[in-house]
Amino acid sequence: MLKSRADTLPCLDVLPGEWIAPPQWRAIDLISDLHLAETTPGTRAALAHYLSHTPADAIFLLGDIFEVWIGDDARHQAFESGLLAMFAQAAARIPLFFIAGNRDFLLGDAMAHEAGLTRLSDPCALQAFGQRYLLSHGDAWCLEDRDYQAFRALVRSAAWQQAFLDKPLKERRNIARGLRERSMAQKAGQAHRPELWADLDAGTVRDALRAQACTTLIHGHTHRPACHALGDDLSREVLSDWDLEAHSPRAEVLRLGPQGLLRLSLPSATA
């Protein structure tokens, strides 16, 4: 376990960009964009129930599992420590794999180790059931959103992360709150203008799939679950976000098995 200030540093032991599923596995679940926060108790409860009851042999968490992660020292706080315990309990029963999203890219060794999360690179190829799938959070390929890509490059730099993690926890929370408020205001302004919604660049996705000898990309980030044909037998599957507090609750799991991909809505999301 890392100590002192380095206790908060992320991404020191991420596994290489390929994972081969054991031959005895019969089902793999993929989820993303849960945005767990103190203000989403319904989503947290749905996740706890799902983790305890899924028949899958492994779960791949493709980013933005937390509404915000401001450093591993936050895991000692009441809310975050509860999430850590929930994941650790699940990881004792079933393997949990994690790809960082744009909200939780600062999740580091200490939290991953204690929560039982095996971190994967983004993207990561998954070989399972005779097929190869490419897994990603997806935000890096929303190339038309140039403002976001510039911001992403800034916050993913080692210098920015070190400067941010050097700040007191309370100050980091205030900074994160301000960034979320700006993001929510921007989304509200675009809510009725689909032409402004950022999406993954199709050409970049095709190139990535071919480079990794994969036929299907599975990703989150956009909150618009669908299957998109890309031509040449290539496709991308978009995961659902989870929001059990919404007027129309939603929580969806993409299950991969020998017969392919199946979308499952949690019962609490369809009640």
Side-chain angles (χ1 to χ4, degrees):
M1 184 181 299
L2 302 178
K3 298 179 180 179
S4 176
R5 183 162 55 100
D7 185 53
T8 60
L9 290 175
C11 302
L12 299 180
D13 64 350
V14 179
L15 294 183
E18 180 168 341
W19 181 265
I20 300 175
Q24 67 269 24
W25 285 4
R26 307 312 298 163
I28 298 170
D29 284 356
L30 302 108
I31 61 177
S32 73
D33 297 278
L34 279 64
H35 294 270
L36 295 169
E38 293 184 74
T39 56
T40 61
T43 301
R44 176 179 174 172
L47 176 63
H49 184 271
Y50 159 74
L51 290 174
S52 298
H53 293 83
T54 178
D57 296 293
I59 301 173
F60 284 74
L61 305 145
L62 302 191
D64 284 6
I65 305 307
F66 308 94
E67 173 63 8
V68 64
W69 192 259
I70 57 174
D72 279 9
D73 52 342
R75 75 190 190 282
H76 302 300
Q77 304 296 300
F79 174 73
E80 287 82 359
S81 66
L83 296 180
L84 186 157
M86 177 176 63
F87 283 116
Q89 182 178 10
R93 185 182 74 86
I94 181 174
L96 303 179
F97 298 88
F98 172 76
I99 288 178
N102 53 293
R103 300 298 186 101
D104 46 24
F105 61 90
L106 286 175
L107 191 146
D109 287 348
M111 177 62 179
H113 174 73
E114 294 179 24
L117 303 176
T118 297
R119 288 182 296 158
L120 303 174
S121 63
D122 187 356
C124 176
L126 170 64
Q127 184 169 315
F129 312 115
Q131 302 290 330
R132 283 176 62 83
Y133 300 87
L134 192 61
L135 311 181
S136 175
H137 181 60
D139 62 313
W141 293 334
C142 293
L143 302 184
E144 291 188 4
D145 191 346
R146 293 183 174 84
D147 289 341
Y148 170 72
Q149 292 302 328
F151 174 76
R152 186 182 191 278
L154 172 66
V155 300
R156 295 299 181 104
S157 69
W160 185 93
Q161 291 184 16
Q162 188 64 74
F164 180 76
L165 293 171
D166 281 344
K167 299 180 186 299
L169 186 61
K170 182 177 180 181
E171 184 177 351
R172 279 179 268 151
R173 287 197 185 280
N174 290 335
I175 293 172
R177 185 179 300 110
L179 292 173
R180 288 202 307 275
E181 290 173 353
R182 286 170 51 191
S183 176
M184 291 174 64
Q186 182 181 31
K187 288 180 180 178
Q190 297 176 352
H192 303 293
R193 300 185 63 186
E195 72 276 8
L196 297 179
W197 296 353
D199 208 346
L200 278 66
D201 181 79
T204 302
V205 171
R206 284 192 290 266
D207 290 345
L209 287 169
R210 293 184 181 116
Q212 295 280 354
C214 298
T215 57
T216 301
L217 169 69
I218 301 174
H219 72 89
H221 183 62
T222 64
H223 297 196
R224 300 199 292 278
C227 178
H228 299 271
L230 300 173
D232 298 325
D233 294 323
L234 303 178
S235 64
R236 66 181 175 99
E237 293 275 353
V238 189
L239 299 173
S240 165
D241 64 323
W242 287 30
D243 189 347
L244 279 298
E245 274 69 37
H247 178 71
S248 298
R250 56 190 180 272
E252 190 176 86
V253 174
L254 190 64
R255 180 161 295 163
L256 172 61
Q259 306 305 315
L261 292 163
L262 177 66
R263 289 183 181 271
L264 303 171
S265 291
L266 299 189
S268 55
T270 58

